[in-house]
Amino acid sequence: MINEGQIIKVAGPLVVARNIPNARMADVVKVGKLGLIGEIIELKGDSASIQVYEETAGLGVGDPVISTGMPLSVELGPGLLNSIFDGIQRPLPELLKKTGDFIGRGIAVNSLDRNKKWDFVPKAKKGDKVSTGGILGTVAETSLIEQKIMVPPGVSGTIDEIKKGSFTITDTIAKISGKNICMLQLWPVRKPRPFAQKLPVCEPLVTGQRIIDTLFSLAKGGTAAIPGPFGSGKTVVQHQLAKWANADIVIFVGCGERGNEMTDVLIEFPELKDPKSGKPIMERTVLIANTSNMPIAAREASIYTGATIAEYYRDMGYSVSLSADSTSRWAEALREMSGRLEEMPGEEGYPAYLGARLADFYERAGYGICLGTDERRGSFTIVGSVSPPGGDLSEPVVQNTLRIVKVFWALDYSLAYKRHFPAINWLISYSLYLNSLENYFQKEVADDWGQLRGDALRLLSEEAELEEIVRLVGEDALSQREQLVLFVTKSIREDFLYQSAFDPVDQYTSLKKQHLLLKVILTLYGEGLCAIESGVEIEKIKNISAMAKVARARFIPEDQAPKELADLEGLIKGEIESLKGAVK
Amino acid sequence: MTKDYQTITRIAGPLVIADKIEGAKFDEICDIELPSGETRTGQILEVDGDKVLVQVFQGTEGLDIKNTKLRLKGRGLELNLSPDIQGRIFSGLGDPIDKAPQIIPELKRDINGSPINPCARNYPNDFIQTGISAIDGLNTLSRGQKLPIFSGSGLPHARLAAQIARQAKVLGGKDKFAVVFGAMGITFEEAEFFMSNLRKTGAIENSVLYINLANDPAIERIATPRVALTAAEYLAFDLGMHVLVILIDMTNYCESLREVSAARKEVPGRRGYPGYLYTDLASIYERAGRIKDKKGSITLIPILTMPDDDKTHPIPDLTGYITEGQIILDRSLDRKKIYPPIDPLPSLSRLRDKAIGEGKTREDQPALANQLFAAYARGREVRELVVVLGEAALNDTDKLYLKFAEQFENRFINQGENDNRSIIQTLDLGWELLSILPREELKRIKDDMYEKYGKNKTS
């Protein structure tokens, strides 16, 4: 045969083939008799290096390779939500039907269901002038999310015809300047979908996690990294974000992680209710699962697949958040392919372009005005976890990530060891969005939000210094005020920062309640300081009866929180006041 | 007839390179025949034009370039399977070594297996009672979980693994249970200890053993865990049994992998281990699990010795990133003659919260376990303080914590090798120990639980 190439070398996931007709960089090819999916990653003379997205056992020299002539692309259209895909967007339930409980090879399936009919409601009308990104109509994709059907990239003109009714994703729904338009779009995964205009961020992504929202807030359209050694709770934090963050759409990319963790997500998410709408969270979620034992090249592709789907929903004007767990596994896939290509290694065997690839990925996040004419705004937030070997934060993936991301939640093994969760270390974590978000917090929550956060952080860093002294000479050597600091910060740590992911009340705290809770604890400091100055002994302050209530305050249900917390604040003030009275 | 090639051009370490080979496939198995008539098994690691790179499981000692023959088998490495494998002992490649006849295979399976579709998995949430308080109470094991034991040389990990194999059971379950034991490079004594343990309890009848001893070929170890897991998959998902797989010692496995990688002159990752160590280990560990609509399950307990007790060494580090937690043995506890010397603080079972509590063990366990952790952690901090300041500097509460930590180690963690505690005994013991501390220190416990379970113990 003339129109197929031949394999000349097989080394793990890397295959080299010769004489592939029309071979172009980054095109998808079918490898071997089984038609395994691969992508061209290097061309040299008439030979092409291919990374194969499936297990390559059994391939031999002379086996055929055919180019599809298309770069690796994802299918975009109704039916994405509520789905679970592998790294190259093959729906896992379909694979299950075709090859059983274990994943077979060389299976070609459509990413989106071609037979399902969707009710298309036109929003544009005949004669309208439209361009790329303009909204033609909507489809109720799930009971939670309305998918907006947009004019596909590169198309503009006048609507000749637009239909209404029930269609599959490949049926023609409109005609624009003579061109038939269907709901299905294709987009190459490695190419970011464009904004009309990128804007600075201005709104927080509310997660209900107290240490994140109050101390190290993330913005809609921002980027964050969660590095931490194993067992420090990265995945729990990622799950909490996926469950509770106030994004319209959540994309969860399980990239080279545990199979049972994905199963947990698959079982748990359909049962979880969205805190606002009461509908199952799955209705706004897309899962991409490429577990650690699935082929490594598909792991490399999985985060791009996720990002492209995220951008598609962002283009509709939604706020989208993507969790990638873990980018270290993705970097390792990069390293393995680079090694097989015999490229010159950079640090720790990672390719020299690791930093550039990471930057490309995180830079796809953002907030801005979408293409189209209605100036709708969408955002795409990325939270990537990093799994540094041995918890060593100086390794290349962490360091390259930190150069790009704006929020850093450092998970700390020693906190996890004390079962303090989320084990985010408050001394080294940071958020660079605080200034951009200050306005929002002042307007939506309380004027003293920034003030309280500053006070809390100051006390916590003073605590770290005092701890050193205590370790050397004992607590009694401290002044009364310093002992008060330790007493208050203990309460900040245990009653505010500590948050159980499994308690039905504690797992999500609204911004309002977070503010009140922190205010109660800091009242203790303000009033306590005053009392010490008027001669009250610190031990007496420690023993006020309100402390038992402070310890239980995080379990107060949201609806009762404003009243009970205000009462508690009053109680503290009252008790300390009477201590002062007793001194006089 | 398959063709014999006498075209070997190079032999280096465990690797053989041959050329002028036609139709070789990646991952294919070949026979390597020595002039003496001895046959060894090789696996193709790379095909480049007509050149192949072969790793020889039994090592390359005695091979020569001129007379050694190579024969392609046209298939991957397969394992013979039938229900008769139970009660048998095999080599690390799956050949019988117990002087009993060959297995008549009902089917053959490629030892590499295929990844379980995440959609087909069922979440491991059935509590397994091991009868060991430090595991059951704090770092609970579930059916289908992979929970490694991180040990060090000289620590009693083999005794602990044998005790788990003997005592493990699911509450109220009468399902068929089997043990698959894969040994990589352990000594004869260690292997014999396991076998005699299994024989003593009669458990050997439903056990399958794949044994590669310290003096067996090192490269064979690369196949052993895969062979053991292929057998386990057969028992679990074809025959519907609940299989406990014990792999000992994963450190030896990784060292063999490093040897091959170095011989191939690959760019090394940390400490000379190949960059794909994570992926390779995942292809082993991830074979544990449960599948929807299938009765059986695979619970995996890999054991590894941390070189120099260093948890950040690549082998324990990468293992910890794949497995659902870890049980860590501690040398200082062992020195205090505490058995099993499980340090509960760095140990972790990620699946614990789904396997305990109401309907699984007892409703008070989640809060109780958290409180025990917190209190023991505090007790240990106080102990460090004592080293610096002396006991006199402690306040009353701290003294209680110190007492708690002592009692916790001596009564809760410490237990006999044949002491099989029920989960109820373990939990009650936990409450009893917490009674050392005053109520206001027990912050992780809500009032209703305290009233119901804690109060009568603390009064």
Side-chain angles (χ1 to χ4, degrees):
Chain A
M1 287 291 283
I2 324 157
N3 47 16
E4 56 183 38
Q6 290 86 37
I7 293 180
I8 53 172
K9 178 179 172 179
V10 188
L14 178 78
V15 165
V16 183
R18 204 170 45 198
N19 298 329
I20 307 174
N22 306 319
R24 285 181 312 183
M25 199 61 179
D27 274 3
V28 171
V29 292
K30 304 257 181 187
V31 180
K33 295 177 191 99
L34 286 171
L36 308 181
I37 300 165
E39 183 184 5
I40 297 179
I41 51 172
E42 191 180 74
L43 287 169
K44 202 197 255 169
D46 58 1
S47 70
S49 300
I50 299 158
Q51 65 173 351
V52 182
Y53 292 126
E54 300 179 66
E55 174 59 44
T56 52
L59 287 181
V61 171
D63 284 355
V65 178
I66 310 164
S67 172
T68 61
M70 289 263 299
L72 186 64
S73 304
V74 290
E75 294 188 354
L76 301 169
L80 285 168
L81 293 177
N82 218 341
S83 298
I84 168 159
F85 299 110
D86 76 353
I88 47 174
Q89 214 205 3
R90 296 184 302 181
L92 287 169
E94 289 300 311
L95 293 184
L96 187 69
K97 274 187 218 151
K98 288 207 167 175
T99 67
D101 297 333
F102 296 91
I103 296 176
R105 295 194 293 162
I107 316 156
V109 282
N110 288 319
S111 302
L112 297 177
D113 193 338
R114 292 290 192 277
N115 299 319
K116 182 160 180 179
K117 293 209 166 190
W118 302 90
D119 278 326
F120 174 73
V121 184
K123 291 281 168 214
K125 50 187 197 300
K126 191 176 165 183
D128 282 357
K129 282 209 178 307
V130 290
S131 60
T132 301
I135 290 171
L136 292 174
T138 59
V139 163
E141 194 178 359
T142 64
S143 59
L144 217 53
I145 297 294
E146 192 171 66
Q147 178 162 144
K148 293 168 182 149
I149 305 299
M150 296 171 288
V151 179
V155 176
S156 62
T158 317
I159 299 179
D160 303 332
E161 189 192 350
I162 187 158
K163 298 180 188 171
K164 176 179 191 315
S166 199
F167 303 99
T168 68
I169 50 170
T170 47
D171 288 341
T172 300
I173 49 149
K175 225 179 216 172
I176 299 175
S177 298
K179 223 174 156 182
N180 287 329
I181 305 293
C182 64
M183 290 192 266
L184 177 70
Q185 293 187 16
L186 280 181
W187 188 269
V189 295
R190 297 186 198 278
K191 194 173 151 196
R193 287 172 67 93
F195 269 116
Q197 194 192 347
K198 225 171 171 170
L199 298 171
V201 298
C202 59
E203 209 181 296
L205 187 79
V206 180
T207 64
Q209 310 305 303
R210 292 186 291 264
I211 183 158
I212 291 176
D213 288 346
T214 304
L215 296 187
F216 310 109
S217 359
L218 173 60
K220 281 186 176 167
T223 50
I226 320 179
F230 67 82
S232 56
K234 270 189 307 299
T235 305
V236 177
V237 173
Q238 286 278 27
H239 284 196
Q240 291 300 92
L241 291 182
K243 279 184 213 165
W244 303 116
N246 65 343
D248 300 316
I249 310 281
V250 171
I251 319 266
F252 193 88
V253 185
C255 173
E257 286 289 305
R258 304 175 181 92
N260 279 332
E261 255 160 34
M262 284 322 293
T263 311
D264 187 21
V265 171
L266 282 173
I267 293 173
E268 199 177 344
F269 276 29
E271 287 172 11
L272 283 171
K273 299 282 187 280
D274 181 57
K276 271 172 292 176
S277 62
K279 296 272 167 43
I281 284 189
M282 261 321 269
E283 307 226 320
R284 60 175 173 102
T285 306
V286 183
L287 297 174
I288 294 169
N290 206 82
T291 56
S292 55
N293 56 340
M294 285 157 78
I296 187 157
R299 192 193 298 170
E300 194 265 340
S302 65
I303 66 167
Y304 298 110
T305 303
T308 310
I309 296 174
E311 286 168 345
Y312 177 62
Y313 282 99
R314 176 208 68 197
D315 287 349
M316 294 173 207
Y318 287 118
S319 70
V320 186
S321 112
L322 178 140
S323 293
D325 188 15
S326 138
T327 56
S328 293
R329 305 300 158 222
W330 168 82
E332 274 169 19
L334 215 60
R335 172 166 74 179
E336 179 162 351
M337 291 318 298
S338 162
R340 304 262 186 208
L341 284 171
E342 291 167 12
E343 292 172 340
M344 183 68 84
E347 253 180 300
E348 292 197 19
Y350 287 105
Y353 46 79
L354 172 70
R357 290 281 174 89
L358 275 168
D360 279 349
F361 169 63
Y362 281 105
E363 205 42 37
R364 289 175 79 159
Y367 168 75
I369 301 170
C370 313
L371 288 178
T373 45
D374 57 355
E375 300 255 311
R376 62 185 184 275
R377 291 175 181 204
S379 70
F380 170 24
T381 315
I382 299 180
V383 180
S385 53
V386 191
S387 322
D392 168 18
L393 295 185
S394 69
E395 63 96 44
V397 183
V398 177
Q399 285 307 315
N400 279 304
T401 304
L402 287 186
R403 290 220 303 269
I404 313 153
V405 299
K406 298 277 195 316
V407 176
F408 173 54
W409 296 320
L411 291 177
D412 188 337
Y413 185 73
S414 63
L415 288 174
Y417 181 91
K418 290 181 205 152
R419 295 302 188 268
H420 176 101
F421 289 110
I424 297 174
N425 182 323
W426 47 87
L427 296 174
I428 53 175
S429 300
Y430 59 77
S431 163
L432 301 182
Y433 293 121
L434 297 180
N435 288 338
S436 331
L437 300 176
E438 190 67 45
N439 263 336
Y440 177 92
F441 284 122
Q442 282 185 356
K443 216 166 81 199
E444 302 291 326
V445 195
D447 282 338
D448 59 350
W449 176 276
Q451 178 70 34
L452 289 180
R453 174 179 49 217
D455 288 348
L457 277 175
R458 239 188 326 279
L459 286 174
L460 286 167
S461 75
E462 188 176 351
E463 179 195 32
E465 289 164 21
L466 294 176
E467 287 279 321
E468 303 234 322
I469 303 176
V470 170
R471 220 165 289 140
L472 288 175
V473 290
E475 199 175 328
D476 295 340
L478 298 180
S479 73
Q480 294 271 308
R481 192 197 71 86
E482 286 167 334
Q483 290 189 37
L484 177 71
V485 170
L486 289 187
F487 175 65
V488 172
T489 50
K490 182 165 179 252
S491 176
I492 297 180
R493 281 188 284 111
E494 291 179 1
D495 307 324
F496 185 77
L497 299 180
Y498 177 85
Q499 187 166 8
S500 163
F502 303 99
D503 185 275
V505 176
D506 199 26
Q507 58 185 354
Y508 180 89
T509 311
S510 66
L511 290 181
K512 266 263 163 348
K513 185 179 159 193
Q514 293 187 27
H515 169 253
L516 292 172
L517 198 56
L518 188 59
K519 203 168 163 203
V520 164
I521 296 172
L522 290 175
T523 303
L524 207 57
Y525 180 71
E527 296 294 313
L529 202 59
C530 210
I532 284 174
E533 276 160 11
S534 45
V536 178
E537 299 243 334
I538 177 75
E539 287 305 321
K540 293 227 171 80
I541 299 174
K542 283 188 185 177
N543 288 328
I544 60 172
S545 70
M547 282 320 290
K549 286 197 172 162
V550 173
R552 307 262 180 281
R554 56 198 176 90
F555 298 111
I556 299 172
E558 287 289 337
D559 49 340
Q560 301 158 19
K563 185 178 175 302
E564 290 204 18
L565 289 170
D567 288 352
L568 183 54
E569 198 185 323
L571 180 66
I572 292 173
K573 283 184 178 159
E575 280 199 73
I576 296 184
E577 205 54 48
S578 63
L579 287 177
K580 279 200 283 195
V583 170
K584 283 167 198 160
Chain B
M1 253 323 267
T2 44
K3 206 167 152 189
D4 284 358
Y5 293 97
Q6 263 179 309
T7 51
I8 292 176
T9 55
R10 189 163 167 234
I11 302 172
L15 303 180
V16 164
I17 295 168
D19 56 11
K20 302 200 185 72
I21 309 264
E22 285 164 30
K25 310 285 187 201
F26 175 67
D27 224 26
E28 187 177 348
I29 287 300
C30 48
D31 279 345
I32 290 167
E33 196 180 312
L34 275 66
S36 64
E38 181 196 344
T39 309
R40 295 185 187 172
T41 308
Q43 184 171 28
I44 295 180
L45 295 181
E46 195 176 311
V47 198
D48 188 357
D50 62 357
K51 219 162 59 186
V52 295
L53 177 71
V54 180
Q55 94 182 348
V56 185
F57 287 118
Q58 291 88 349
T60 49
E61 294 84 7
L63 260 63
D64 73 347
I65 286 188
K66 239 175 154 178
N67 300 312
T68 304
K69 288 180 199 151
L70 190 144
R71 203 161 38 234
L72 298 175
K73 302 286 278 184
R75 56 173 174 82
L77 191 53
E78 287 172 340
L79 184 68
N80 292 338
L81 294 166
S82 94
D84 300 333
I85 58 173
Q86 293 178 76
R88 298 289 304 271
I89 302 173
F90 302 91
S91 76
L93 276 178
D95 302 316
I97 50 169
D98 53 1
K99 304 199 179 75
Q102 281 284 351
I103 296 290
I104 299 161
E106 263 180 19
L107 70 158
K108 290 167 178 252
R109 286 252 166 91
D110 190 292
I111 64 158
N112 285 322
S114 300
I116 302 178
N117 189 321
C119 283
R121 275 183 194 271
N122 205 350
Y123 198 74
N125 53 7
D126 287 332
F127 168 71
I128 295 184
Q129 180 177 300
T130 64
I132 297 165
S133 293
I135 297 178
D136 292 351
L138 302 175
N139 296 296
T140 317
L141 179 68
S142 311
R143 219 181 233 182
Q145 186 174 13
K146 39 193 182 294
L147 189 66
I149 298 176
F150 288 6
S151 182
S153 2
L155 295 178
H157 48 261
R159 279 160 64 199
L160 177 62
Q163 187 175 4
I164 295 173
R166 272 199 319 269
Q167 298 182 348
K169 66 165 188 184
V170 176
L171 292 184
K174 281 206 177 57
D175 300 315
K176 281 188 285 178
F177 203 79
V179 175
V180 173
F181 182 70
M184 286 88 72
I186 61 169
T187 60
F188 172 76
E189 282 82 9
E190 280 175 298
E192 187 54 37
F193 171 78
F194 264 98
M195 285 189 258
S196 65
N197 232 300
L198 292 172
R199 265 189 223 110
K200 243 189 335 215
T201 53
I204 193 118
E205 295 304 316
N206 353 331
S207 303
V208 192
L209 289 82
Y210 294 94
I211 305 235
N212 166 286
L213 294 180
N215 56 350
D216 287 335
I219 303 305
E220 188 181 281
R221 282 166 211 162
I222 295 179
T224 309
R226 297 191 167 82
V227 166
L229 282 159
T230 305
E233 279 171 3
Y234 170 72
L235 295 175
F237 303 131
D238 290 45
L239 303 186
M241 306 175 85
H242 293 289
V243 186
L244 178 70
V245 182
I246 295 174
L247 298 176
I248 180 172
D249 174 325
M250 288 306 290
T251 307
N252 294 334
Y253 166 84
C254 295
E255 254 146 39
S256 296
L257 209 62
R258 175 165 69 174
E259 187 181 336
V260 172
S261 170
R264 293 180 72 179
K265 302 196 168 60
E266 290 172 333
V267 178
R270 285 201 308 144
R271 302 234 190 158
Y273 290 95
Y276 49 81
L277 185 61
Y278 174 84
T279 306
D280 190 274
L281 286 173
S283 71
I284 295 173
Y285 297 145
E286 278 290 339
R287 289 171 79 171
R290 292 168 69 197
I291 292 183
K292 285 177 198 159
D293 318 320
K294 293 254 164 92
K295 249 187 91 189
S297 66
I298 299 179
T299 310
L300 177 60
I301 303 188
I303 297 171
L304 51 92
T305 45
M306 296 181 280
D308 199 24
D309 294 353
D310 175 13
K311 203 171 69 125
T312 65
H313 184 279
I315 300 170
D317 188 52
L318 295 177
T319 298
Y321 275 122
I322 305 164
T323 54
E324 285 126 1
Q326 66 279 336
I327 301 286
I328 296 191
L329 302 191
D330 182 73
R331 205 169 287 280
S332 64
L333 286 176
D334 187 53
R335 244 182 258 131
K336 288 189 203 163
K337 296 279 177 278
I338 287 168
Y339 172 87
I342 295 173
D343 185 351
L345 297 180
S347 298
L348 170 75
S349 166
R350 291 167 186 271
L351 307 182
R352 185 190 78 183
D353 295 299
K354 296 265 160 64
I356 61 172
E358 209 175 342
K360 302 272 180 189
T361 55
R362 209 170 73 184
E363 54 174 341
D364 56 324
Q365 193 179 352
L368 173 69
N370 277 336
Q371 187 61 63
L372 286 170
F373 268 122
Y376 180 56
R378 179 78 196 280
R380 291 259 291 251
E381 270 178 25
V382 173
R383 195 182 283 165
E384 282 168 28
L385 213 62
V386 170
V387 175
V388 183
L389 299 173
E391 211 161 319
L394 298 182
N395 61 31
D396 291 341
T397 320
D398 283 350
K399 279 180 191 148
L400 289 176
Y401 273 110
L402 197 62
K403 183 174 164 207
F404 171 82
E406 279 311 311
Q407 295 269 324
F408 182 76
E409 285 173 4
N410 288 324
R411 296 177 53 200
F412 193 87
I413 301 179
N414 193 25
Q415 68 183 89
E417 212 172 322
N418 291 309
D419 187 0
N420 192 351
R421 290 185 193 156
S422 77
I423 181 68
I424 303 299
Q425 282 174 314
T426 294
L427 297 178
D428 286 346
L429 180 59
W431 282 111
E432 200 184 318
L433 291 170
L434 282 183
S435 70
I436 296 172
L437 301 168
R439 170 67 183 118
E440 54 282 14
E441 288 296 316
L442 308 179
K443 283 202 177 184
R444 309 271 162 105
I445 289 172
K446 290 197 197 172
D447 288 333
D448 50 339
M449 288 294 155
Y450 185 75
E451 293 293 324
K452 200 162 165 192
Y453 296 98
K455 211 169 183 190
N456 50 349
K457 295 271 169 13
T458 49
S459 57

